[in-house]
Amino acid sequence: RQDTTQWVGRVDWNASSKWRVMARYTHDLSHTVEPGGLFFGTAIPNVATTLTDVPGQIFVSQIVTTINPHLLNEVTLQYSSNAITSVYGDNARNKRDQYGISIPELYAENRNNLIPSIAVSGLSTIGANQLFDNNYKNYTIGDNLSYVRGNHSLKGGFLVTFEQKNELSTSGTQGSFSFVAGGGRTAFQNFLTGNADGLCGSACTYTEPEKEVGVQERFNRYEFYVQDSWHVRPNVSIDLGVRYALYPGVTDVNNLLTNFVPSRFDPAKAGTFAAGSGAMVAGTGDVLNGIVVAGKNSPYGEAIYPTDKGNIQPRIGFSWDKDGKGETVVRGGYGVYYDQPLVGIFEQNAFVNPPLVTNPQVLNPKLSNPGSGTSPTTRPIVALIASSDPFETPRTQQWNVGVQRKLYARGVIDIGYAGSRGDNLIQPVDINAPTPKEVMAANGVINLARPYPGYAGITFRQTTAKARYNALLVNFRHDAGRKGLVSVAYTLSRSKTDASNDRDAVDFPQDRTNLAAEYAISRTDRTHVFTVNYVYELPFFRDAKGGLAKQVLGGWQVSGITQFWSGLPISRVVNGTTNGSRRGIRVNQISDPFANLPANTPGGVYYFNPGAFAPPADGALGNTGRAIFRLPGVNQWDITASKNWYPSKNTRLQFRADFINALNHTQLDPGAIQNVCTVAVTAADCTASTGNFGKITGTRAPREIQLGIKFFWN
């Protein structure tokens, strides 16, 4: 369920010939019901149901002053805010006492006495999530001063923002189990037995944050620019400009920001491990080894990373009208752009890191007593989230050049090249993930194999990713006026990167020591994109002088969009049988995945052959990388037929019939690909994988028909 309400009010006031004032206020509210819980998605009904409100508002005011015929000034003031607040639905059965559950917890805090979250590999998660409560506010002031003199159009200005975000961690203090295959049993068998005999091993885990943390972040932005549009000749213009951006480090009102800095980690302070279990001996080691806290031991004061002061962004562009008639025009440009990183990257550090909160990971837990993996003489290992130091501002360079040519009176073609280069982009890396060889050398005890002993996984958001994009762009347009128009666009492109998202686990590298191996076709790449847009007025009875034939059969218009797009690459083919991290998280490819496809069975269509892949051997990484093949593309015809009547001079009545996927073409849904191979440890390949490995289990929407009548008046 989703209900949305929005209203807008605007006032424009021409105070005089030199002063104009505009003010606009927008308020909206989205109310949704999530049967599986907000951002949780359990498939078990009536467990995690939430009701969520997302209110937002924007106020903007602009004052435009004409100082003299050559000088114009614009001042803009803006305030905006939004929030996400949720409550449990009346039918939500998510409390422990509703099920008679008496599973003990590591810590006392458990908001609303929620049942623990239980993730079973290959199945839906069971459990409930904590309620969301966060809000954001933005105050912005900007000014633009324009000056025209001769053949120069100068412009300069600034933008200053003051922003704040307050958010609860919703960290899951009710605890979270993860059951996977191990000990000769499937993940579901380990769940059914509750791992009572401890055979699952260190691959099964339990995490429970000590408490819920609430941050109150403050962050500003300061930007300045100047540019000149220079008309060198009537048919030649050059644009020159430069922009400077300063993004000071994010701070918290109560100095709750933390970070893990690898260079500050001292192996001598890591403490000692209990024999065989990989648990830390209580009372040994520095629990804050390598951790900095804002306002205490951070070298950057109330921030946890230095402010990058070198964000200078030059821009240049040109336009040349070959004959001065607008029939052949050549354009090009180049610019440097910096991006303010998402503040959630830094707030999430505070949600899990000591000393604010302990977020332990217990290996080989029992469902009846998750703390059984620890004892009074040991302490659980904690997982961290951190960001790189230094944290460089992500930068993108963009360039393009193209020519536009008028072919004939109604036909124009555009041919161009566009490229971009992204550097210092954010990518997530678990810098404390041991390689299979390291795990084997530690006799299968993961914590003994980690580079930073004393911690579990360390999710490191570092500015080391890169992206490259190159494209040929072709567009043809024929405008026949009342008779209609057609636009044909084709893009031939290639996009490569080593991380497509700053926080998505899909982008975690298989080998933390070899990030270069992650550079491949990006998840968003489409080699070929061919799109046709058209509008055509049927000539039948169009010019008839009257009568029923013209009223019924004349004046019909057909329009549509036709798309033929290459499919997106598969992100990766995952090995679900890591045997306690003794094996890599990707599979081996042992034959052609598109040869000898098995016969389809209920549940989906085989897109690739499961037997073409196999789990790697113990001590080895999978030999497949990212984006090893493409998923199904788009073949879509959307057509609309419409008819207009004009009852009077100021009114129009329109009937329209929309045919979405008009040809009812079956298109497999690439988002429903089953790409996880989970088999017995001794399996030779992935043929007997659980679930629907190799299948696509969904399709895009079939043909949809919408009929509508619209009435226009003025």
Side-chain angles (χ1 to χ4, degrees):
R1 174 183 170 185
Q2 178 171 333
D3 298 329
T4 302
T5 303
Q6 182 183 80
W7 61 270
V8 181
R10 172 171 172 147
V11 174
D12 290 275
W13 177 36
N14 293 327
S16 69
S17 60
K18 294 186 175 182
W19 290 84
R20 301 195 308 274
V21 180
M22 182 276 293
R24 185 184 74 247
Y25 178 73
T26 303
H27 184 279
D28 56 58
L29 174 64
S30 171
H31 176 77
T32 58
V33 178
E34 299 84 23
L38 181 63
F39 304 140
F40 195 63
T42 179
I44 312 301
N46 301 329
V47 173
T49 304
T50 51
L51 314 177
T52 303
D53 284 340
V54 183
Q57 57 182 336
I58 298 175
F59 172 78
V60 60
S61 177
Q62 184 180 64
I63 303 173
V64 180
T65 307
T66 304
I67 301 173
N68 60 52
H70 301 282
L71 195 61
L72 180 75
N73 192 69
E74 302 169 284
V75 178
T76 302
L77 304 174
Q78 176 186 299
Y79 166 77
S80 62
S81 69
N82 61 52
I84 303 176
T85 58
S86 58
V87 298
Y88 296 121
D90 294 336
N91 63 348
R93 291 178 51 83
N94 53 23
K95 307 294 193 300
R96 295 187 179 224
D97 54 12
Q98 292 175 310
Y99 297 93
I101 292 177
S102 59
I103 298 173
E105 298 177 274
L106 302 181
Y107 305 106
E109 181 174 317
N110 180 352
R111 182 156 61 112
N112 296 309
N113 194 34
L114 297 175
I115 60 177
S117 170
I118 302 175
V120 182
S121 180
L123 299 177
S124 173
T125 298
I126 307 168
N129 59 337
Q130 290 178 314
L131 296 174
F132 279 77
D133 185 6
N134 65 64
N135 62 79
Y136 164 83
K137 294 181 179 179
N138 176 306
Y139 304 86
T140 299
I141 180 171
D143 188 84
N144 299 293
L145 182 65
S146 302
Y147 178 67
V148 178
R149 194 71 176 181
N151 56 356
H152 290 271
S153 297
L154 298 169
K155 194 171 185 178
F158 68 86
L159 177 76
V160 178
T161 70
F162 304 93
E163 301 174 74
Q164 63 183 56
K165 183 181 183 184
N166 305 325
E167 183 171 2
L168 291 176
S169 61
T170 61
S171 49
T173 55
Q174 69 269 29
S176 176
F177 290 90
S178 175
F179 289 99
V180 299
R185 294 190 300 237
T186 66
F188 189 51
Q189 289 172 327
N190 279 325
F191 162 65
L192 289 178
T193 63
N195 193 34
D197 50 16
L199 290 181
C200 183
S202 59
C204 290
T205 60
Y206 174 79
T207 58
E208 182 187 317
E210 176 186 9
K211 61 183 178 181
E212 191 171 32
V213 176
V215 297
Q216 300 179 56
E217 293 177 297
R218 303 295 183 264
F219 46 103
N220 305 330
R221 175 190 308 193
Y222 307 94
E223 300 194 32
F224 309 89
Y225 78 95
V226 62
Q227 68 182 46
D228 179 19
S229 294
W230 177 25
H231 296 280
V232 182
R233 299 176 59 183
N235 64 333
V236 178
S237 64
I238 297 176
D239 292 285
L240 299 171
V242 63
R243 190 177 189 94
Y244 177 74
L246 182 67
Y247 310 131
V250 178
T251 63
D252 180 84
V253 170
N254 299 310
N255 282 331
L256 296 185
L257 300 183
T258 68
N259 199 21
F260 174 80
V261 183
S263 62
R264 288 176 169 254
F265 180 83
D266 184 354
K269 297 180 180 180
T272 57
F273 291 88
S277 69
M280 292 291 295
V281 175
T284 66
D286 181 2
V287 296
L288 299 179
N289 194 0
I291 291 179
V292 298
V293 181
K296 294 182 180 179
N297 65 335
S298 172
Y300 313 112
E302 294 185 346
I304 55 173
Y305 61 96
T307 297
D308 189 346
K309 300 179 180 179
N311 303 333
I312 300 175
Q313 306 166 75
R315 314 281 170 83
I316 183 172
F318 72 91
S319 176
W320 172 47
D321 183 349
K322 178 178 177 294
D323 50 18
K325 299 179 180 179
E327 295 186 350
T328 302
V329 180
V330 180
R331 299 183 179 90
Y334 168 83
V336 177
Y337 306 83
Y338 285 91
D339 181 33
Q340 186 177 30
L342 190 69
V343 297
I345 290 173
F346 310 109
E347 75 176 24
Q348 289 182 348
N349 301 6
F351 289 164
V352 302
N353 293 350
L356 306 177
V357 60
T358 299
N359 189 42
Q361 183 182 74
V362 179
L363 304 179
N364 202 25
K366 294 178 174 61
L367 186 61
S368 61
N369 182 14
S372 60
T374 64
S375 69
T377 61
T378 63
R379 63 179 174 86
I381 308 298
V382 299
L384 305 178
I385 298 179
S387 44
S388 60
D389 177 8
F391 191 93
E392 300 184 68
T393 308
R395 182 191 68 206
T396 300
Q397 301 175 68
Q398 296 183 359
W399 55 88
N400 67 81
V401 63
V403 57
Q404 182 183 72
R405 172 66 178 173
K406 182 178 179 181
L407 299 178
Y408 52 91
R410 296 182 178 274
V412 177
I413 189 170
D414 262 314
I415 301 177
Y417 160 74
S420 70
R421 174 190 176 104
D423 294 288
N424 304 330
L425 307 181
I426 304 169
Q427 70 178 135
V429 179
D430 184 352
I431 60 173
N432 213 25
T435 64
K437 287 184 178 179
E438 292 170 336
V439 175
M440 293 290 288
N443 296 318
V445 182
I446 298 175
N447 287 332
L448 295 180
R450 296 189 184 277
Y452 301 99
Y455 295 115
I458 302 177
T459 301
F460 207 61
R461 278 75 178 262
Q462 56 189 54
T463 52
T464 52
K466 62 180 181 290
R468 305 290 185 262
Y469 176 80
N470 293 279
L472 170 68
L473 312 169
V474 180
N475 181 273
F476 169 77
R477 181 180 176 89
H478 171 80
D479 189 345
R482 178 182 173 182
K483 295 181 180 180
L485 62 87
V486 61
S487 176
V488 181
Y490 172 68
T491 301
L492 172 65
S493 65
R494 176 62 58 90
S495 174
K496 301 186 73 175
T497 185
D498 41 21
S500 299
N501 189 285
D502 55 16
R503 293 186 288 181
D504 195 336
V506 172
D507 282 317
F508 272 61
Q510 180 178 219
D511 183 359
R512 71 174 199 284
T513 67
N514 185 15
L515 299 184
E518 301 302 305
Y519 187 66
I521 298 297
S522 70
R523 283 191 277 158
T524 56
D525 178 82
R526 292 188 188 271
T527 303
H528 303 281
V529 175
F530 179 81
T531 303
V532 181
N533 301 275
Y534 48 90
V535 179
Y536 178 64
E537 185 174 359
L538 299 178
F540 312 113
F541 300 98
R542 182 179 61 196
D543 298 323
K545 296 182 179 180
L548 183 62
K550 180 176 183 179
Q551 292 298 320
V552 176
L553 302 177
W556 281 90
Q557 190 178 75
V558 176
S559 60
I561 303 174
T562 300
Q563 300 168 322
F564 298 100
W565 296 357
S566 297
L568 298 171
I570 192 169
S571 56
R572 56 182 181 169
V573 182
V574 180
N575 171 34
T577 309
T578 61
N579 196 18
S581 295
R582 294 174 178 85
R583 301 174 175 182
I585 60 175
R586 296 179 189 158
V587 297
N588 285 336
Q589 182 176 333
I590 57 178
S591 64
D592 182 358
F594 298 108
N596 303 314
L597 292 181
N600 295 326
T601 57
V605 175
Y606 274 106
Y607 187 71
F608 64 83
N609 184 359
F613 299 98
D618 285 355
L621 298 166
N623 64 19
T624 55
R626 297 171 55 249
I628 59 175
F629 58 78
R630 288 190 180 272
L631 297 169
V634 175
N635 179 349
Q636 181 92 0
W637 293 72
D638 298 334
I639 300 175
T640 295
S642 60
K643 160 72 175 171
N644 292 310
W645 291 271
Y646 299 88
S648 67
K649 180 179 179 181
N650 298 322
T651 60
R652 175 163 61 101
L653 182 67
Q654 182 188 77
F655 168 80
R656 59 187 295 123
D658 298 312
F659 300 86
I660 302 169
N661 190 8
L663 304 182
N664 203 26
H665 177 68
T666 300
Q667 302 180 77
L668 297 176
D669 180 5
I673 187 76
Q674 306 299 307
N675 65 331
V676 181
C677 166
T678 302
V679 293
V681 173
T682 56
D685 59 42
C686 295
T687 301
S689 174
T690 59
N692 291 304
F693 179 64
K695 291 183 179 180
I696 292 181
T697 57
T699 61
R700 299 179 189 271
R703 178 169 53 222
E704 300 176 36
I705 301 176
Q706 296 182 148
L707 304 178
I709 294 178
K710 292 184 177 181
F711 182 65
F712 302 83
W713 74 94
N714 56 48

